[in-house]
């Protein structure tokens, strides 16, 4: 997988993470967007970096959406639990 595909898919994952907060009033995106971001990030890491020497920056960018999606999901669940109203 080329660097541009890795960067593009990682950017898509980050965008999905960032779209979770504005759509907080809909409960489905709170579950789906971080899940999709995790799946895309895992796909990029396993397929795109399999058996190839890549730089530290590319590996970091490929894995960055995974923890960000988990943190975003946790933050949204915390807001919902505290009685967030749109």
């Amino acid at each position: 997988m080329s660097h541009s595909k890795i960067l593009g898919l990682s950017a898509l994952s980050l965008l999905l993470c960032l779209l979770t907060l504005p759509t907080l009033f809909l409960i489905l995106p709170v579950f789906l967007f971080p899940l999709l971001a995790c799946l895309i990030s895992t796909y990029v890491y396993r397929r795109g970096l399999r058996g190839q020497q890549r730089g530290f920056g590319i590996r970091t960018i490929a894995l960055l959406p995974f923890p960000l999606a988990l943190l975003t999901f946790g933050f949204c669940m915390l807001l919902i639990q505290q009685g967030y109203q749109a």
Side-chain angles (χ1 to χ4, degrees), residues 7-70:
L7 293 174
L9 287 172
S10 295
L12 177 66
S13 295
L14 290 172
L15 181 65
L16 284 173
C17 290
L18 294 176
L19 283 176
T20 304
L21 285 174
T23 60
L24 191 58
F25 61 92
L26 302 170
I27 197 68
L28 192 59
V30 171
F31 293 109
L32 284 182
F33 287 171
L35 176 67
L36 287 174
C38 288
L39 291 175
I40 291 171
S41 178
T42 305
Y43 171 78
V44 167
Y45 190 74
R46 295 185 81 202
R47 284 284 194 164
L49 303 176
R50 178 180 44 182
Q52 299 175 3
Q53 283 297 99
R54 300 283 185 183
F56 179 72
I58 293 294
R59 285 185 183 274
T60 304
I61 289 172
L63 279 179
L64 182 66
F66 192 81
L68 184 64
L70 292 178

